[in-house]
Amino acid sequence: MADTVPLIQPDKGQQATAIHLVNREGLAKWVKQLSSGQRAALEAQKFDGGAFQVGIVPDGDNWFAVGGVANPEQLSSWCMAKLAEALPEGTYRRAEGDPGPAMHGWQTGQYLFDRYKKPERPIGPRVLLTKEAGRIEAAIAEAQAVCLVRDLVNTPAEDMGPEAIEAQCEALAKAYSAKLSVTKGDALERDFPMVHAVGRAAARHHAPRLMHLTWGKAGDPVLAIVGKGVSFDSGGLDIKPASGMLLMKKDMGGAAHAIALAGLVMGAGLKVRLHLLVPAVENAIAGNSFRPGDILKTRKGLTVEIGNTDAEGRLILGDALQRASEEKPELIIDFATLTGAARVALGPDYPALMTRRDDTAQALIDAGKACDDEPWRLPLPDGYREWLSSDLADLNNSATNGFAGASVAGLFLDRFVGEGIDWAHFDTFAWRPAAKPGRPKGGDAYGLRAAWHMLRQRFGGAS
């Protein structure tokens, strides 16, 4: 997404190319206003009003664009995204009204990750005008948060290790005058022993650490946001196959979501006392790797037997969730690329959501549906807790059966969230395996916008 030119700008009557949005049902009526030559031009492009189709119509010495949408009266986040991708550099306005929610896809459709490879024929910004000036700032911030998640997840592990994740937290703290503390070394081993154990085998410049950012007034409700920051996951001594490691740079996707969400919270000035906690590690293999059968101490005082070193994300989250609980928060939200089981159940597009409270789950689902970022709730069944039992420790980090893997991982995390605390857990993929309009292949945000819209409704203070 272009950094220098706002892709959404106020409509002050400036010159712009018109965009008409039509669907199949309304196309026949709409084309009656066109000349025979214009209709022929659309027919030559095989434009029939189908969703995400783009047509160019000559208009004297100029031209206008036509976009196919499902419903011109009820736009979605993505219905103008293909137009943003396909049209040339320039300024545009919707002919029949404002773009509304489609402002999001217009921006994210222009996202490009070019850190390592520049496009041979770059296209300049496509600017969309709107008369809803009051919505522009919020729409831009939301799209930038999504694109930040993409940037962080797309960056290879060598350049997005724990040290680089710390740098992202530092930049966030500086931008919003927040306080950042970083725990590593001996202090990490003492205060966050599971974070240290998982990350201790990594090279020195990828040493484990925990970032804790605080912001807001002390008297406001406490909101804790926690993100899993495994910069690369080899699986540890329970090593993944080569095919399983190919996308493991994305295993810090939970941290990316948490950092982006914290930025939205602070940027909008929500009336909360924010605590952002990001445990960052590389799950590497060396002579000092933690082992299957080891029993780890935890910040909470529980002991955890390691049934599988590839179930490491829940370990580092456990210590971070315990620390978040010590602040007596009104709400904890965590994000993690936690289980393959969630992807088997829901595929890439639906983040698995687990909560203690039904009303919190419903608020997140409703917010997600409204902004085209719907999570899907999975249960936390009490009857499955016994699957994490251990003969030698308080609990095991991995069940011995293959059942309900996402929910069982959620039950593990639940042991480290303080009693009575409202808590929501997103098991998100953070990766788009195939491109869709506004959503290129690669790192992506799932559940971020649902959480943000829910928080904005719950805590207020946002535009």
Side-chain angles (χ1 to χ4, degrees):
M1 191 170 71
D3 294 323
T4 56
V5 177
L7 302 180
I8 306 294
Q9 296 183 17
D11 191 342
K12 300 179 180 179
Q14 59 268 55
Q15 185 175 357
T17 300
I19 296 175
H20 297 267
L21 301 180
V22 298
N23 60 6
R24 285 195 172 107
E25 291 74 17
L27 182 64
K29 179 180 179 180
W30 182 80
V31 298
K32 289 181 179 180
Q33 65 184 307
L34 303 182
S35 69
S36 58
Q38 289 174 326
R39 289 196 295 270
L42 273 181
E43 290 173 3
Q45 298 169 68
K46 299 181 179 179
F47 184 91
D48 66 2
F52 303 121
Q53 288 186 341
V54 176
I56 301 296
V57 181
D59 189 18
D61 293 334
N62 296 306
W63 58 274
F64 60 84
V66 186
V69 297
N71 183 356
E73 304 301 322
Q74 188 174 356
L75 302 186
S76 72
S77 297
W78 311 114
C79 63
M80 294 182 71
K82 188 64 180 180
L83 287 155
E85 295 173 9
L87 294 175
E89 177 180 357
T91 301
Y92 299 86
R93 68 162 56 85
R94 185 187 173 199
E96 293 87 6
D98 278 298
M103 288 188 285
H104 183 77
W106 182 273
Q107 297 175 86
T108 58
Q110 297 181 55
Y111 172 81
L112 178 66
F113 184 68
D114 60 358
R115 177 170 176 173
Y116 303 96
K117 182 180 181 180
K118 304 299 180 183
E120 293 182 4
R121 300 176 63 185
I123 303 174
R126 283 75 79 199
V127 174
L128 183 63
L129 303 179
T130 177
K131 293 181 180 178
E132 297 178 295
R135 297 183 61 177
I136 293 176
E137 184 178 354
I140 290 174
E142 192 169 322
Q144 287 176 337
V146 168
C147 292
L148 174 61
V149 172
R150 294 176 179 179
D151 279 346
L152 298 182
V153 174
N154 283 330
T155 303
E158 182 61 20
D159 293 330
M160 191 50 63
E163 188 174 50
I165 297 172
E166 178 185 338
Q168 289 293 324
C169 293
E170 288 176 350
L172 190 66
K174 183 177 180 181
Y176 296 105
S177 301
K179 179 182 178 182
L180 178 68
S181 62
V182 182
T183 306
K184 47 189 169 183
D186 292 341
L188 185 73
E189 185 175 10
R190 180 186 66 245
D191 296 336
F192 301 96
M194 288 198 292
V195 179
H196 179 270
V198 172
R200 69 193 184 198
R204 181 173 298 179
H205 66 293
H206 289 319
R209 63 204 69 199
L210 183 133
M211 279 67 75
H212 186 177
L213 178 149
T214 54
W215 172 89
K217 296 180 182 179
D220 284 340
V222 174
L223 167 67
I225 302 173
V226 181
K228 171 189 168 184
V230 178
S231 63
F232 187 81
D233 182 17
S234 69
L237 293 179
D238 286 308
I239 190 169
K240 294 178 182 289
S243 60
M245 288 193 218
L246 285 176
L247 290 182
M248 282 302 100
K249 67 177 184 179
K250 79 172 186 66
D251 214 17
M252 44 66 64
H257 281 70
I259 290 168
L261 181 58
L264 286 170
V265 167
M266 293 186 288
L270 290 199
K271 297 175 182 178
V272 297
R273 174 64 172 168
L274 174 67
H275 289 261
L276 168 68
L277 292 109
V278 178
V281 303
E282 179 183 352
N283 187 17
I285 298 173
N288 61 339
S289 296
F290 75 117
R291 312 167 190 83
D294 281 354
I295 296 178
L296 304 185
K297 297 178 181 178
T298 70
R299 181 179 180 88
K300 187 171 184 177
L302 297 173
T303 54
V304 175
E305 182 180 7
I306 302 304
N308 192 319
T309 62
D310 197 20
E312 84 298 332
R314 64 197 69 181
L315 299 174
I316 67 171
L317 284 172
D319 273 350
L321 289 168
Q322 166 59 28
R323 177 64 187 87
S325 299
E326 293 165 13
E327 297 297 329
K328 308 298 182 192
E330 181 173 317
L331 174 66
I332 297 176
I333 298 180
D334 81 73
F335 294 87
T337 52
L338 205 62
T339 67
R343 306 287 66 78
V344 171
L346 302 176
D349 287 354
Y350 293 90
L353 169 66
M354 282 155 265
T355 70
R356 287 175 165 178
R357 300 182 185 175
D358 293 343
D359 57 346
T360 299
Q362 195 59 53
L364 286 163
I365 291 168
D366 290 345
K369 285 182 178 179
C371 68
D372 304 297
D373 184 28
E374 183 182 356
W376 198 272
R377 191 183 187 188
L378 295 182
L380 292 169
D382 281 335
Y384 294 172
R385 293 181 188 275
E386 63 185 40
W387 295 349
L388 290 169
S389 63
S390 165
D391 293 334
L392 303 175
D394 292 314
L395 69 164
N396 199 300
N397 78 323
S398 179
T400 56
N401 61 46
F403 299 142
S407 290
V408 172
L411 289 169
F412 182 92
L413 298 180
D414 182 72
R415 291 290 300 272
F416 295 90
V417 178
E419 185 177 355
I421 294 175
D422 191 6
W423 165 60
H425 161 57
F426 283 93
D427 188 337
T428 186
F429 193 41
W431 188 265
R432 185 165 295 281
K436 294 183 178 181
R439 295 150 287 179
K441 180 180 178 180
D444 210 353
Y446 298 92
L448 171 68
R449 298 176 67 216
W452 166 233
H453 283 256
M454 185 276 282
L455 292 177
R456 195 165 59 174
Q457 294 165 9
R458 179 164 172 170
F459 294 106
S463 58

